[in-house]
């Protein structure tokens, strides 16, 4: 598996309140870095590679807390931020295009897209059937405070954080 690449680049830009259009501007560089990483592991001898896509970041506690709004139209049916999830879809679509190119470049390698977005959505949709409380499905598992159990000052692993 090629590790998640680009998440910190996107986090840094978005948490500095860059516009979605500005952040979309770095997607080609991130996707190029992912392609280069895939090439590298294949050139090292890998014959099967999983390339993970991005999560629906609009469902993550850090984003839900930071970009919280009273505008109900900003949220989808899972109470995730639509604009941020649209950005994740944009990234994932560009990544899947790159994977198609890599498959042509390396026909003897098995290169698979890891659809984290769809898997995460499945978990949200099926939370009650899996024993999760629907109200807490978007909360951080560790942390403190707020609607999503997330506080930038007291993140998981910090002293006094359960």
């Amino acid at each position: 598996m090629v590790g998640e690449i680009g998440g910190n680049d996107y986090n840094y830009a978005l948490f500095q309140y860059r516009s979605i259009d500005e952040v979309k501007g770095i997607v080609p560089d991130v996707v190029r870095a992912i392609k280069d990483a895939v090439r590298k592991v294949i050139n090292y001898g890998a014959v099967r590679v999983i390339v993970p896509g991005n999560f629906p970041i609009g469902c993550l506690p850090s984003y839900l807390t930071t970009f919280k709004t009273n505008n109900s139209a900003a949220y989808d049916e899972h109470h995730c931020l639509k604009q941020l999830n649209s950005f994740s879809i944009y990234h994932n679509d560009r990544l899947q295009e790159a994977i198609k190119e890599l498959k042509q470049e390396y026909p003897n390698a098995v290169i698979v897209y890891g659809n984290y977005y769809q898997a995460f959505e499945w978990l949200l949709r099926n939370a009650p059937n899996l024993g999760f409380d629907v109200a807490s499905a978007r909360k951080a598992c560790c942390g403190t405070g707020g609607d999503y159990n997330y506080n930038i000052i007291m993140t998981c692993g910090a002293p006094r954080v359960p």
Side-chain angles (χ1 to χ4, degrees), residues 58-60 64 68-69 71-72 74-82 85 124 138 147-148:
C59 300
L60 301 179
L64 286 164
K68 184 177 179 178
T69 178
N71 178 5
S72 61
Y75 296 92
D76 66 14
E77 69 276 11
H78 303 295
H79 198 74
C80 300
L81 291 160
K82 291 192 278 191
N85 282 353
L124 282 178
R138 284 166 312 285
D147 293 339
Y148 304 101

Side-chain angles (χ1 to χ4, degrees), residues 40-99:
K40 192 172 278 192
V41 298
I42 290 172
N43 290 333
Y44 282 143
V47 293
R48 293 179 196 88
V49 182
I50 299 172
V51 184
N54 206 347
F55 294 102
I57 62 173
C59 300
L60 301 179
S62 56
Y63 283 100
L64 286 164
T65 299
T66 303
F67 298 103
K68 184 177 179 178
T69 178
N70 291 326
N71 178 5
S72 61
Y75 296 92
D76 66 14
E77 69 276 11
H78 303 295
H79 198 74
C80 300
L81 291 160
K82 291 192 278 191
Q83 188 177 30
L84 290 167
N85 282 353
S86 292
F87 172 76
S88 292
I89 291 168
Y90 178 82
H91 163 88
N92 291 342
D93 288 348
R94 303 296 84 69
L95 180 59
Q96 289 176 77
E97 291 167 8
I99 291 169

Side-chain angles (χ1 to χ4, degrees), residues 70-154:
N70 291 326
N71 178 5
S72 61
Y75 296 92
D76 66 14
E77 69 276 11
H78 303 295
H79 198 74
C80 300
L81 291 160
K82 291 192 278 191
Q83 188 177 30
L84 290 167
N85 282 353
S86 292
F87 172 76
S88 292
I89 291 168
Y90 178 82
H91 163 88
N92 291 342
D93 288 348
R94 303 296 84 69
L95 180 59
Q96 289 176 77
E97 291 167 8
I99 291 169
K100 285 179 187 173
E101 294 168 7
L102 286 164
K103 287 179 176 184
Q104 298 245 323
E105 195 175 327
Y106 296 97
N108 295 324
V110 177
I111 306 168
V112 178
Y113 173 67
N115 196 338
Y116 283 9
Y117 192 101
Q118 191 174 3
F120 194 102
E121 276 196 328
W122 184 89
L123 288 170
L124 282 178
R125 259 191 326 276
N126 293 288
N129 302 331
L130 299 168
F132 292 100
D133 172 17
V134 176
S136 65
R138 284 166 312 285
K139 289 186 176 185
C141 57
C142 61
T144 181
D147 293 339
Y148 304 101
N149 206 29
Y150 177 81
N151 179 334
I152 188 74
I153 306 300
M154 297 184 69

